[in-house]
């Protein structure tokens, strides 16, 4: 099995999901440079777009993602591409992952 290009960092943190229809609280399960795995009862489908507010341990303020594309949904879990809209907004993700990354080859 190949190693991921962007290793996932396992987390147990809070996430807030919002679309033009509604908003809900969820859980941030893991994070990589290209996305986040979340758990929520929020009704989403692949190809939906969300705004996310992710609480990262030891980082204040929380990470705001203006536009996140839902890539897959299965059993209350979803994988969303997290693309901070500027280099400045991407720094918290990069800094967090640089200090917390561990090898992880899980799907």
């Amino acid at each position: 099995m190949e190693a991921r290009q962007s290793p996932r960092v396992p987390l147990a943190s809070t996430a807030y999901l919002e679309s033009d229809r509604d908003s809900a609280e969820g859980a941030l399960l893991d994070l990589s440079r290209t996305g986040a795995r979340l758990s929520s009862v929020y009704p989403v489908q692949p190809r939906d777009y969300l705004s996310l507010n992710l609480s990262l341990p030891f980082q204040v303020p929380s990470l705001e993602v203006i536009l996140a594309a839902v890539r897959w949904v299965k059993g209350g879990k979803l994988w969303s591409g997290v693309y901070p809209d500027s280099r400045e907004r991407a720094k918290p993700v990069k800094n967090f992952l640089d200090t917390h990354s561990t090898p992880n080859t899980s799907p």
Side-chain angles (χ1 to χ4, degrees), residues 85-103:
D85 55 346
S86 72
R87 289 180 75 131
E88 192 62 34
R89 293 175 70 86
K91 282 182 184 178
V93 172
K94 181 185 180 319
N95 292 343
F96 180 81
L97 293 172
D98 285 348
T99 58
H100 294 87
S101 287
T102 58

Side-chain angles (χ1 to χ4, degrees), residues 27-104:
L28 174 60
L29 304 175
D30 66 43
L31 182 67
S32 76
R33 290 186 194 274
T34 59
R37 188 166 52 110
L38 307 156
S39 176
S40 179
V41 296
Y42 190 79
V44 295
Q45 298 295 318
R47 296 185 296 279
D48 282 353
Y49 288 91
L50 303 171
S51 294
L52 302 174
N53 190 309
L54 307 175
S55 296
L56 299 178
F58 313 110
Q59 289 208 349
V60 175
S62 57
L63 174 65
E64 292 183 54
V65 180
I66 307 279
L67 187 64
V70 177
R71 299 296 180 215
W72 62 254
V73 178
K74 184 176 179 180
K77 295 193 173 38
L78 60 116
W79 177 259
S80 180
V82 175
Y83 304 104
D85 55 346
S86 72
R87 289 180 75 131
E88 192 62 34
R89 293 175 70 86
K91 282 182 184 178
V93 172
K94 181 185 180 319
N95 292 343
F96 180 81
L97 293 172
D98 285 348
T99 58
H100 294 87
S101 287
T102 58
N104 184 349

Side-chain angles (χ1 to χ4, degrees), residues 4-22:
R4 294 186 166 278
Q5 288 182 344
S6 299
R8 294 182 183 180
V9 173
L11 296 166
S13 193
T14 305
Y16 295 95
L17 300 78
E18 185 176 351
S19 74
D20 57 353
R21 299 182 310 260
D22 206 359

